Amino acid sequence: MTPLLEIRDLAVHFAADEGRVEAVDGISLTVRRGEILGLVGESGSGKSVTALAVLRLIRPPGRIVRGSIRFDGRELLDLSEEAMRHVRGSQIAMIFQSPRTALNPVLPVGRQIARLFELHRGCSGHEAWQRTLEILRLVGIPEPERRASQYAHQLSGGMCQRVMIAMAVATEPRLLLADEPTTGLDVSIAAQILDLLRELGRRTGASMVLITHDLGVVAGVCDRVAVMHAGQLVECSDVHGLFKHPAHPYTRALVRSIPRVDREVTMEPIPGAVPSVLEPPPGCRYADRCPWVIDRCREVKPELLPLEHDHEVACHAVEPSNVVPARS
Ligand code: ADP
Ligand code: MG
C-alpha cells in the first residue's frame, strides 16, 4: 500500500535581506497509515516550515523551491488552490502551538466548531451544535454545554488545546499535523493532551505527525521518529531502534540530553550552537558541532541511507559496525 504521506527532496527557502534562508534542505520523509511519526529537532531546525509546506501554507518571502509531497498518492504541489483548500478542510488538519491565539477571540468556541460541521459536513444548525457537544465530550471537556458558549480567554491553556484538537478532528482528517501541541502547558496537562492525541489516533485510524523539540515526548507516544537538524533530516527510525541504537552523532547527543528521573545519568547539553541556515556552506550542517567530522562532511551532503530494518541515517561517518547501543 502506498504510504499516506510521502515527502521527497523537499526544499523551502525564504528570501531575507541578508540572503537566502534555507529553512528546509531537501528532506525525504514518509508517514504510514495509522502511525504517529515524531518530528524532532532543536528550535529553528525546520519542523514547522515542513508542516506548513505539507499544507502549502508557506507564504512569501518563503517558497517551496523543489521536491514532491504526495498525499495518498496525489501530488499536493500540483493541486489547484481550490483543491488544496479542500485537502486542508477535510483531509489534513493542523494543531498549532499556541491554541489561544489560533482560536477566534470574538466567537464562542462551540460556534467555531459548529461552523466546521456546517461548512464541511453540511450539517444543519441544530445537528452541528449536537455534534459540537459530542466532540467536546470526546476530547475530554467537562460540561460541554457550558464550555461551548464560552470564549477562548475564559478557558485555560489546556482547555484551549482540547478545543483546537476538537476542531482539528471535527472534519475527520486522515492526517493530523500537531506542531508542539503541549508547549506552554504544565507537565500533567501536557501528558493528558498527548494521551488524548494518541487515543484519537487509535480510534480514528488517522496518521499523525507530532512535532516536538523534546525527544522525551516522542518516547511515550510515537511509532517512528524523524530527526531534523538545521533544515536537514539526519535520521529516521522506529522509536525503539532510535533510542536503542541512535546512529547520527546529533541524535546521540539528543538522546543523551534527555533528563532521566529513573537513573543517575546527568543530562548533557549538545555541544555548539545551532548553525545558521542563512546561505549555509555545502555538506552536513552538523559538521561544526560533530565529534566525528571528516573532510567529506564539509563538501558533500550525506544522503539518508538504510542502516538496518526501518532505520535510516544521513552521516558519512556512520557504518553499521560503529553503531553502538546508547549508554544504558
Ligand atoms: P522549528 O519549527 O523547527 O523551530 P521553523 O520551521 O519555524 O523551525 O524555522 C526554520 C527556519 O526557517 C528558521 O531558521 C527560521 O528562522 C526560518 N524561517 C521560518 N519562517 C520564516 C520567515 N517567514 N522568514 C524568514 N525565515 C523564516
Ligand atoms: Mg516550530
Side-chain angles (χ1 to χ4, degrees), residues 10-259:
L10 175 72
V12 183
H13 295 174
F14 291 87
D17 291 343
E18 307 78 30
R20 192 177 60 241
V21 175
E22 298 186 2
V24 174
D25 181 43
I27 67 164
S28 296
L29 182 62
T30 292
V31 183
R32 299 174 191 164
R33 289 165 202 271
E35 80 171 353
I36 304 184
L37 175 78
L39 186 57
V40 292
E42 288 156 293
S43 176
S45 55
K47 307 180 299 292
S48 297
V49 168
T50 299
L52 291 171
V54 169
L55 286 169
R56 275 191 26 202
L57 290 174
I58 302 290
R59 300 279 174 246
R63 192 165 69 86
I64 295 175
V65 294
R66 63 168 197 276
S68 156
I69 304 174
R70 298 187 82 83
F71 178 69
D72 205 10
R74 271 202 309 176
E75 176 60 61
L76 295 185
L77 299 185
D78 290 344
L79 293 186
S80 67
E81 186 46 40
E82 194 194 339
M84 198 58 218
R85 259 199 304 276
H86 178 75
V87 170
R88 284 184 215 117
S90 63
Q91 312 262 298
I92 308 178
M94 185 144 172
I95 299 169
F96 293 94
Q97 184 170 340
S98 29
R100 206 183 299 274
T101 53
L103 289 169
N104 185 332
V106 297
L107 205 61
V109 293
R111 279 301 309 147
Q112 296 179 55
I113 301 173
R115 272 216 313 216
L116 293 174
F117 285 119
E118 291 166 9
L119 233 66
H120 297 289
R121 298 276 134 182
C123 294
S124 68
H126 176 73
E127 195 190 348
W129 193 250
Q130 290 311 314
R131 292 183 70 168
T132 296
L133 298 180
E134 231 168 77
I135 207 156
L136 287 176
R137 227 169 268 129
L138 178 74
V139 299
I141 292 189
E143 303 179 80
E145 289 86 356
R146 186 168 74 88
R147 293 299 187 183
S149 53
Q150 292 186 320
Y151 295 87
H153 71 90
Q154 295 173 296
L155 304 179
S156 66
M159 284 287 174
C160 283
Q161 195 54 290
R162 286 178 194 271
V163 170
M164 278 303 296
I165 292 170
M167 291 182 73
V169 297
T171 54
E172 296 171 26
R174 302 167 64 201
L175 176 64
L176 209 55
L177 307 173
D179 192 356
E180 313 247 9
T182 58
T183 302
L185 302 178
D186 47 76
V187 184
S188 65
I189 307 288
Q192 290 171 16
I193 295 288
L194 291 173
D195 279 347
L196 170 65
L197 286 171
R198 189 168 43 184
E199 174 61 20
L200 287 173
R202 203 183 56 74
R203 234 197 251 202
T204 62
S207 305
M208 199 179 315
V209 177
L210 178 65
I211 295 178
T212 171
H213 58 269
D214 183 350
L215 208 45
V217 165
V218 164
V221 182
C222 299
D223 302 302
R224 286 194 313 130
V225 54
V227 181
M228 285 188 79
H229 176 266
Q232 299 177 334
L233 197 76
V234 297
E235 188 158 0
C236 194
S237 171
D238 66 288
V239 164
H240 182 75
L242 188 107
F243 283 99
K244 195 131 180 113
H245 302 282
H248 196 282
Y250 177 61
T251 315
R252 297 173 65 83
L254 272 184
V255 170
R256 280 198 300 268
S257 72
I258 302 175

